[in-house]
Amino acid sequence: MNAVYLAQDPTLADFGKDPWWLVLIKVVFAFVIAVLATLLGVWFERRVVARMAVRPGPNQAGPFGLLQTLADGLKMAFKEDILPKASDKIVFFFAPTISVVCAVTALSVVPFGPMVSIFGHQTPLQVTDVPVAVLVLLACSSMGIYGIVLGGWASGSTYPLLGGLRSTAQMISYEVAMGLSIVAVFMTAGTMSTSGIVAAQGDATRLTIFGTEVPAPGWYAILLLPSFIIFFISTVGETNRAPFDLPEAESELVAGYMTEYSSLKFALYMLSEYVAMVTMSAVTTTLFLGGWRAPWPITLWEGANSGWWPLLWFFGKVITLVFVFVWLRGTLPRLRYDQFMRLGWKVLLPINLVWILVLAGLRSIEDWQSRDRLLVTGIGAGILLLATLLWPSRKPKPKLSLQEQATSRPHGSFPLPPMDLQVPPSPRTKRVVAEREPANVSAGSDSREV
């Protein structure tokens, strides 16, 4: 009976009943996960990128170089802490803290596992859950933007200010696409509770095809594939990771909003980036990859989703997504800022809106007869196909000649040389040819030396 209870999914009624010491254990556990994820995440990224570049990577400090990140953290702590004269001292100090606190707070509503027994108390492996837990995640992600823009503004310098403004514009644009991606999850799961979304993915979806029920995967990464792809792209842009790491593009912005930061405050910004990467991987796992539930074929084992085993499946999925983050950094070049913003506003946002309309239409005809559903779906797919084929393409601009390009230049441009300029031969070339000529001419009475 106890094993059956432990295999059950936690509900909202299971929260708020833990003693204070158990709540403290959960909070410390989530904080330790964030800190360890940062230390091991930096080491993991350096090792993986080194492997891709056929380099050894960190391998001297500790076994497999595991203590290298710890050594780097201690080195940052003992570096000189510089405070610019023109900076706003209070905001300059607290801006990195805002980013770290928001990234760590998001882990409080992420379910790490099912109901377990801790010192005789039945409790879910989750700090807390609320009916609008996913909105808490979005709020934490949005508040993290303040740490970046305030850090750039409080530095009292031009380059950090520009980096903070560009970072804010980037993160807000991808926040919209990410929020719309989660709307599809709300519509399908029927709840905004993170534990409820994981429970909704535990039951295999039943599809009726020509009167026959066919079990389909329960993961929303498969059922809601467009939302999953857009959400993951948005998380890469939201966490300022390559190829979208424009806020820290040294070739363009020196070091972005972190230009004036040093020592521990710089370490806090770096900490917030890696915590955000792990947090968004955990959120992606919760919303689209079944959360702590074991993937198939491990689910054939009856005890796969009970006890402490789900922790292993959960962190396995998180590490896999972190590897994808690192893989993108080692593979793709950095985008230009205008390309990046165009991708967010002109590509991801329209596709997301169209996908939500299609999904809402499919949800509204769920109660119809199979024949009517098939007919409406076929008509909609045909209209979409015709619209795609008949959509007017942009006519290519006629290629102008060099003279037309020179004429169409705006007033006040730099002067251009004549388009028909002929470069005369070099005088030295003539002299060299003349010096070599006597060697090929036979000597005679009228010969003269050149």
Side-chain angles (χ1 to χ4, degrees):
M1 197 64 186
N2 189 30
V4 174
Y5 178 75
L6 292 180
Q8 291 179 352
D9 293 281
T11 62
L12 291 175
D14 296 318
F15 294 92
K17 300 178 180 179
D18 298 330
W20 66 269
W21 55 267
L22 189 53
V23 175
L24 183 61
I25 289 177
K26 290 183 179 182
V27 171
V28 171
F29 174 76
F31 181 76
V32 169
I33 289 296
V35 175
L36 288 180
T38 303
L39 294 176
L40 297 179
V42 176
W43 171 85
F44 181 76
E45 180 173 15
R46 294 179 65 181
R47 291 285 292 190
V48 172
V49 172
R51 178 78 175 182
M52 292 178 177
V54 198
R55 296 185 284 105
N59 58 0
Q60 298 298 317
F64 305 105
L66 283 171
L67 298 180
Q68 182 64 56
T69 306
L70 182 61
D72 292 340
L74 293 175
K75 178 181 67 175
M76 286 186 182
F78 288 101
K79 279 191 172 182
E80 182 181 3
D81 190 8
I82 300 174
L83 188 64
K85 282 186 177 181
S87 65
D88 188 311
K89 308 299 187 295
I90 298 177
V91 180
F92 186 81
F93 179 80
F94 282 106
T97 311
I98 296 175
S99 298
V100 176
V101 170
C102 292
V104 175
T105 305
L107 289 175
S108 61
V109 293
V110 173
F112 295 100
M115 300 290 293
V116 295
S117 177
I118 300 179
F119 300 115
H121 289 269
Q122 308 295 341
T123 181
L125 271 177
Q126 185 175 353
V127 177
T128 186
D129 195 9
V130 291
V132 290
V134 180
L135 296 185
V136 175
L137 294 174
L138 288 176
C140 292
S141 178
S142 301
M143 290 294 292
I145 300 175
Y146 283 94
I148 291 177
V149 67
L150 289 177
W153 173 80
S155 298
S157 178
T158 305
Y159 280 115
L161 179 60
L162 292 176
L165 292 177
R166 286 175 51 144
S167 305
T168 306
Q170 165 186 329
M171 297 177 73
I172 289 176
S173 62
Y174 279 79
E175 188 83 20
V176 176
M178 187 170 66
L180 288 176
S181 301
I182 302 178
V183 171
V185 177
F186 297 166
M187 296 168 59
T188 308
T191 178
M192 286 190 278
S193 165
T194 50
S195 59
I197 291 173
V198 173
Q201 296 180 75
D203 299 327
T205 306
R206 299 286 175 175
L207 300 179
T208 304
I209 302 177
F210 300 108
T212 305
E213 282 195 356
V214 179
W219 287 9
Y220 292 154
I222 301 174
L223 297 177
L224 307 174
L225 182 61
S227 295
F228 172 66
I229 295 175
I230 294 174
F231 182 85
F232 190 75
I233 294 175
S234 301
T235 57
V236 177
E238 185 80 8
T239 54
N240 299 329
R241 294 285 305 176
F244 304 148
D245 56 339
L246 296 171
E248 299 140 15
E250 294 186 2
S251 59
E252 302 172 355
L253 301 170
V254 183
Y257 57 92
M258 299 186 296
T259 302
E260 302 291 347
Y261 280 90
S262 60
S263 189
L264 280 178
K265 291 192 285 293
F266 175 81
L268 285 177
Y269 268 128
M270 191 181 72
L271 171 71
S272 66
E273 176 181 328
Y274 281 90
V275 173
M277 180 174 65
V278 175
T279 301
M280 296 312 298
S281 298
V283 172
T284 306
T285 299
T286 301
L287 298 180
F288 294 97
L289 299 180
W292 45 263
R293 292 187 170 275
W296 189 88
I298 303 177
T299 50
L300 299 177
W301 171 38
E302 294 182 357
N305 292 323
S306 61
W308 295 89
W309 286 106
L311 272 178
L312 180 62
W313 321 136
F314 179 81
F315 286 113
K317 297 174 185 178
V318 171
I319 292 173
T320 302
L321 290 177
V322 171
F323 171 77
V324 175
F325 274 95
V326 178
W327 192 3
L328 292 175
R329 176 180 177 180
T331 305
L332 299 178
R334 179 182 294 137
L335 271 71
R336 285 203 324 260
Y337 190 76
D338 60 320
Q339 295 173 332
F340 182 46
M341 298 299 287
R342 187 183 301 114
L343 174 65
W345 288 108
K346 294 187 176 182
V347 178
L348 297 184
L349 193 58
I351 291 177
N352 221 337
L353 291 173
V354 172
W355 166 243
I356 290 175
L357 290 176
V358 171
L359 184 62
L362 294 176
R363 295 282 295 176
S364 63
I365 63 174
E366 279 185 348
D367 299 332
W368 291 14
Q369 297 292 332
S370 300
R371 181 180 177 182
D372 296 337
R373 287 205 308 266
L374 187 62
L375 179 62
V376 171
T377 305
I379 292 175
I383 294 175
L384 182 61
L385 181 61
L386 286 176
T388 305
L389 294 176
L390 301 178
W391 191 268
S393 59
R394 182 181 297 177
K395 294 182 179 180
K397 294 182 179 180
K399 189 174 182 180
L400 301 177
S401 64
L402 293 177
Q403 188 62 43
E404 291 173 338
Q405 293 179 25
T407 306
S408 61
R409 296 171 75 246
H411 179 70
S413 302
F414 287 102
L416 287 176
M419 305 307 295
D420 57 348
L421 178 64
Q422 298 293 329
V423 180
S426 171
R428 180 168 177 78
T429 304
K430 282 187 175 182
R431 185 170 62 84
V432 171
V433 172
E435 287 176 352
R436 292 179 179 176
E437 188 175 353
N440 298 325
V441 178
S442 57
S445 58
D446 58 345
S447 63
R448 56 189 178 87
E449 184 178 356
V450 179

